[in-house]
Amino acid sequence: MSDVYRFKSLKKSEAKVQKQEYNSTTGQDVVNYFLYVGIDYKGQLQMACVAKGFGGSSDVSVDPCVLVGLNTAIGVGGSIKVAKQRTIIVSRGPEEVEIGGRVIFIPQPILVNSLIGRYWEGKAQLSIDVGVGFKALVGVGATKEGTGSYAKAKSSVTDKFGQKRSLLSGFEAVGVGASATAGFKAGMGYTYDHFYGEDLYPLSYASKGTARKKIAVILKEGSTKTMLKLDACEFINANVIYFGNKKMNLHGKFLWHTTTKGYKGIIGCLEQHADKAPKKVKETAYLHLKKLRSFSKKGDGTCFLRLSSHKPEGKAGLYAKGTLTAQACVASAGANAEAFAGVIGSYKKAYARYQSRVFTAPYIVRTSRRQKDVKVKTILTTYDNEIIYSTFHLGLDLSLDANFNVFGYSKSLAKNTGLGKGLEKVNKKVQYRPNRLNQIRYKTAIATWVKPEPVAGFKSGKITKKKVNILPDTGVAYGQSFVVGNLKKLFDKYYAPSHGWNEEAVNDSYVKIIAKALRVKKVEDVLKFFKNKDVREHITENLPLDMGVLLEATYRIKGLSELDINMSKDKGTGNYLVQLSSDFGKKLFKKETSKILESIRLRYRKRDLANRDSTLFSLGFKAPIKEVQVGFNIRLERVERAGADGIVDVATVFIEKRLESIASRQASQVPAYEKAVPPAALFCQ
């Protein structure tokens, strides 16, 4: 399927899934949505994650100007959150690799990693707010303010303990409140987060159909371990005559002919009966045992994902806000509006290293005369990312919301409505957002390498080599985000369907900016990318003008055959862990390292997030200390988050003559992808 038709079909399938009711969504629908990037050619990758845990935060505020009548608040706060996170990554590895001039066939190129680890986040904030305003309340009944100036509510009921309780306790029976404040506020903050997860049992598949079925089970059950337990239960039940004539059930359904067993119970059943079973059943039983026992051991550091990011942010400016509330018995309604004129900006720098095992098995060497087995080796692919997110805008922010609440049912009348969308358009008109300060920039080092074999005689797997050989598809990628509307202006100005490109005028500053961002030395290569029919059609016809897309250039490393490795001994297991050196990316990025431009890609990032963090406990108070008003708050929170992330390749233009020739000779570009450096895989919390 070509990239053009793939993009159109993706949009249709996304719309179809969004129209379905939640209850009618099947497991296959979830898998289809998760695999929107695809698993058709080398380099396609998508991820999904779920995190559950707890967090706490506290802040202190001081009002030093209470004596002079100003509402002033200087606040200092901090928070920390810790959660257990499961991340599932599905990618398409190479179908063949070249080692020592020989082409090695990879029979299972679809890779599935289920990484379990810890996520934590720390945050610190400093703020100042100086304002003047008024607050007025008019009503009859008990009040939130607790002033006692209103009549007490007379309506009451008797609860199940025989105690009389007010129907209106804590609310105005009938009342109207209004407030207005104007002033200056500024704030600054810093956030650091980190995640490390490891896959104890990486999976690989030959066909998309098999991979989809297994991914559906992993997404449903939550982990590879549960999926393997289910597989073992199905195997035992299919051969129940050899395993005690008792079927095994994992999820505890009450069935008279089954027994519910956990992890240890399944292993015990296989160990007890496997030796007495026929040869084929015995061999399969021991294969299931091997898979399940891998989760009782510590990993060898082969497949992992490490993420960390630093994010300073700040804002300063003038503000004005007003609120209006109304209460009538159990119904309430309100409206609030705020205007902020000033500067808001943030800068986030994220680092990620992802490593996956391409394959470990006796490879089949392709030759013209025969096929033969060669020595077992392990091939790994490592991605090192450095991503910068920068946002800056200067101008006026307007917000307005109206809401009502009846018997606990609340509804916002402004968010996600015509009013809310209209305010978004107004905010875009009255804000200054320079492109160079509102974008994603990244660079990725990609290395495919052969893991060295342990030295004979060392049971722990000691490796004496300090360098490893890298394979031909090792390289780097540079990318940056651009707004479709700005790219479309390029075509509107320099391209006409009847006359083609204006070659003399097109070599302007904007094209040079793109070339510089992608480290492309020849502007002609950038023009070659834009002249591609698929690129032109997507930018001018298919993509929304306000959408941000990624332009990415990939380079193959030339003249470099080895990279340094780090080896450490795990204290718990005694095994030796082998990884590329922490600075291997810097070596590839160096100007002195020779690079060949292979391709330029048009991509877009699709990310979905669900955040259900909630407060479990909150305590706060305000008190005068030596005539200065001091406030203190402490909160305990539940952390519940989920998300999916992936990058869709809309169009790829191969610049290198070798790859361009391969792509032009074939009905699809897949063979060219197999010979090229894969695209960048971006990971960020």
Side-chain angles (χ1 to χ4, degrees):
M1 183 185 292
S2 69
D3 290 329
V4 176
Y5 292 110
R6 180 187 306 283
F7 179 77
K8 292 180 179 178
S9 63
L10 275 170
K11 301 300 288 185
K12 290 180 181 178
S13 63
E14 289 172 17
K16 183 179 179 181
V17 171
Q18 290 173 358
K19 288 180 180 178
Q20 290 179 330
E21 294 293 333
Y22 175 79
N23 292 333
S24 66
T25 301
T26 65
Q28 195 58 48
D29 293 327
V30 175
V31 174
N32 291 339
Y33 185 75
F34 173 55
L35 296 178
Y36 55 82
V37 169
I39 47 175
D40 300 307
Y41 54 82
K42 185 177 76 173
Q44 290 181 309
L45 181 147
Q46 49 259 286
M47 65 175 287
C49 63
V50 176
K52 291 185 178 182
F54 295 92
S57 64
S58 63
D59 58 79
V60 178
S61 62
V62 180
D63 185 354
C65 299
V66 65
L67 298 178
V68 296
L70 287 175
N71 297 320
T72 305
I74 300 174
V76 178
S79 66
I80 187 167
K81 297 178 180 180
V82 180
K84 182 179 180 180
Q85 179 170 312
R86 182 181 71 254
T87 300
I88 297 172
I89 299 176
V90 180
S91 61
R92 181 85 182 203
E95 293 186 358
E96 58 183 39
V97 295
E98 185 179 328
I99 302 179
R102 297 183 298 178
V103 177
I104 309 298
F105 174 59
I106 307 295
Q108 295 180 316
I110 300 174
L111 312 173
V112 180
N113 291 133
S114 183
L115 304 116
I116 309 296
R118 290 284 176 182
Y119 164 79
W120 71 273
E121 174 191 291
K123 189 173 184 178
Q125 290 179 306
L126 173 65
S127 64
I128 181 171
D129 186 339
V130 181
V132 294
F134 75 92
K135 187 174 186 180
L137 293 171
V138 179
V140 177
T143 72
K144 289 181 180 178
E145 308 304 314
T147 60
S149 58
Y150 301 147
K152 298 293 182 183
K154 297 179 180 180
S155 301
S156 63
V157 294
T158 302
D159 62 20
K160 62 182 180 180
F161 300 106
Q163 301 293 323
K164 286 189 175 183
R165 298 191 179 279
S166 171
L167 280 172
L168 307 173
S169 177
F171 297 89
E172 289 86 9
V174 178
V176 176
S179 66
T181 309
F184 168 83
K185 62 181 176 181
M188 55 189 297
Y190 175 80
T191 303
Y192 175 79
D193 60 45
H194 179 81
F195 168 75
Y196 177 80
E198 191 172 317
D199 188 358
L200 299 181
Y201 196 86
L203 304 172
S204 58
Y205 302 99
S207 69
K208 291 188 290 184
T210 304
R212 285 178 176 273
K213 291 178 182 178
K214 295 300 182 181
I215 292 168
V217 177
I218 293 174
L219 291 173
K220 179 183 177 182
E221 301 297 337
S223 69
T224 304
K225 183 178 180 180
T226 308
M227 186 197 72
L228 295 178
K229 288 191 291 184
L230 283 172
D231 289 345
C233 286
E234 291 178 1
F235 165 73
I236 292 172
N237 294 340
N239 299 276
V240 67
I241 190 174
Y242 305 115
F243 292 93
N245 285 313
K246 194 72 173 178
K247 288 190 175 182
M248 190 167 292
N249 180 51
L250 185 62
H251 291 302
K253 294 180 180 177
F254 184 75
L255 297 173
W256 66 271
H257 61 285
T258 65
T259 180
T260 301
K261 290 289 185 180
Y263 174 68
K264 292 182 179 180
I266 297 171
I267 289 180
C269 181
L270 292 170
E271 289 177 336
Q272 181 181 355
H273 300 286
D275 287 336
K276 303 174 185 178
K279 183 179 179 181
K280 288 186 177 180
V281 177
K282 178 180 178 180
E283 290 175 351
T284 307
Y286 276 106
L287 181 61
H288 283 289
L289 276 172
K290 180 182 178 182
K291 293 178 180 179
L292 291 170
R293 284 170 176 166
S294 66
F295 285 93
S296 63
K297 302 176 182 179
K298 196 169 182 180
D300 61 358
T302 297
C303 300
F304 65 89
L305 174 64
R306 182 185 294 111
L307 300 171
S308 62
S309 69
H310 308 262
K311 182 183 179 182
E313 55 188 334
K315 67 177 183 179
L318 303 175
Y319 73 93
K321 62 182 179 180
T323 62
L324 181 66
T325 59
Q327 178 78 40
C329 297
V330 293
S332 65
N336 59 76
E338 183 172 358
F340 176 83
V343 178
I344 299 177
S346 66
Y347 179 90
K348 182 176 182 178
K349 195 167 188 178
Y351 301 91
R353 175 175 283 198
Y354 169 61
Q355 182 171 286
S356 180
R357 188 182 68 190
V358 174
F359 205 65
T360 301
Y363 299 129
I364 304 300
V365 179
R366 287 180 179 173
T367 66
S368 58
R369 297 179 181 177
R370 66 187 186 279
Q371 294 182 338
K372 64 178 181 179
D373 290 349
V374 296
K375 187 178 180 181
V376 174
K377 294 181 180 178
T378 299
I379 297 179
L380 304 171
T381 298
T382 306
Y383 293 85
D384 253 19
N385 288 330
E386 181 182 304
I387 313 171
I388 296 174
Y389 301 84
S390 58
T391 63
F392 174 88
H393 72 261
L394 172 65
L396 182 64
D397 274 331
L398 301 172
S399 63
L400 175 66
D401 190 20
N403 57 78
F404 68 86
N405 188 306
V406 180
F407 290 106
Y409 173 76
S410 59
K411 177 71 174 178
S412 172
L413 303 178
K415 295 180 180 178
N416 301 319
T417 64
L419 176 60
K421 294 178 181 178
L423 281 174
E424 290 180 5
K425 293 181 180 180
V426 171
N427 283 330
K428 288 182 180 180
K429 295 291 184 182
V430 296
Q431 291 176 6
Y432 171 62
R433 294 175 177 265
N435 290 330
R436 66 182 183 278
L437 296 178
N438 291 275
Q439 58 190 200
I440 298 174
R441 305 190 304 276
Y442 61 89
K443 58 182 182 179
T444 302
I446 307 120
T448 305
W449 52 289
V450 180
K451 184 179 179 181
E453 298 298 309
V455 177
F458 286 91
K459 294 182 179 180
S460 59
K462 185 176 181 180
I463 295 171
T464 58
K465 290 187 177 181
K466 296 183 179 180
K467 293 182 180 292
V468 292
N469 296 323
I470 56 175
L471 304 186
D473 57 352
T474 295
V476 297
Y478 297 92
Q480 186 168 304
S481 63
F482 294 89
V483 179
V484 172
N486 293 334
L487 297 175
K488 186 177 182 298
K489 291 177 183 178
L490 187 67
F491 290 94
D492 293 341
K493 189 174 181 181
Y494 301 125
Y495 175 80
S498 58
H499 299 91
W501 286 86
N502 183 347
E503 295 286 351
E504 295 181 358
V506 78
N507 191 14
D508 72 346
S509 59
Y510 192 58
V511 179
K512 292 179 179 178
I513 289 174
I514 295 173
K516 184 177 180 181
L518 304 184
R519 310 299 200 274
V520 177
K521 297 179 180 179
K522 298 179 180 179
V523 177
E524 291 79 7
D525 291 332
V526 178
L527 298 182
K528 183 177 180 180
F529 167 75
F530 282 116
K531 289 178 183 179
N532 180 271
K533 182 182 177 182
D534 291 347
V535 174
R536 186 177 71 250
E537 287 183 353
H538 281 303
I539 292 176
T540 59
E541 300 175 16
N542 297 335
L543 300 175
L545 296 179
D546 59 348
M547 179 180 181
V549 293
L550 301 173
L551 299 185
E552 178 184 306
T554 56
Y555 297 81
R556 175 166 50 90
I557 299 299
K558 182 181 178 182
L560 184 66
S561 60
E562 294 181 324
L563 287 174
D564 296 330
I565 58 173
N566 290 332
M567 186 171 58
S568 59
K569 188 175 182 179
D570 186 86
K571 295 180 180 179
T573 63
N575 294 331
Y576 284 88
L577 310 181
V578 180
Q579 294 183 12
L580 291 180
S581 62
S582 58
D583 61 347
F584 93 89
K586 294 181 180 179
K587 189 171 185 178
L588 298 186
F589 291 133
K590 281 183 178 180
K591 293 182 179 180
E592 296 78 12
T593 304
S594 180
K595 306 176 184 67
I596 298 174
L597 176 63
E598 285 193 340
S599 64
I600 300 178
R601 305 170 190 264
L602 173 64
R603 317 179 77 192
Y604 75 89
R605 187 182 186 196
K606 191 174 187 306
R607 191 183 191 198
D608 293 320
L609 292 174
N611 189 335
R612 291 172 48 185
D613 291 3
S614 57
T615 301
L616 297 175
F617 172 79
S618 179
L619 175 66
F621 66 87
K622 284 188 176 182
I625 299 178
K626 293 184 179 181
E627 300 182 344
V628 175
Q629 194 77 6
V630 177
F632 177 77
N633 288 284
I634 185 171
R635 288 175 296 277
L636 178 64
E637 299 174 322
R638 177 185 286 113
V639 178
E640 291 184 287
R641 299 177 183 178
D645 202 348
I647 302 179
V648 178
D649 275 355
V650 181
T652 300
V653 179
F654 291 103
I655 306 298
E656 188 186 15
K657 296 295 183 182
R658 174 182 64 100
L659 297 174
E660 184 182 18
S661 176
I662 294 173
S664 63
R665 293 198 306 265
Q666 304 291 336
S668 70
Q669 290 184 321
V670 173
Y673 281 107
E674 283 295 325
K675 297 293 184 181
V677 174
L682 301 183
F683 304 94
C684 197
Q685 296 290 111

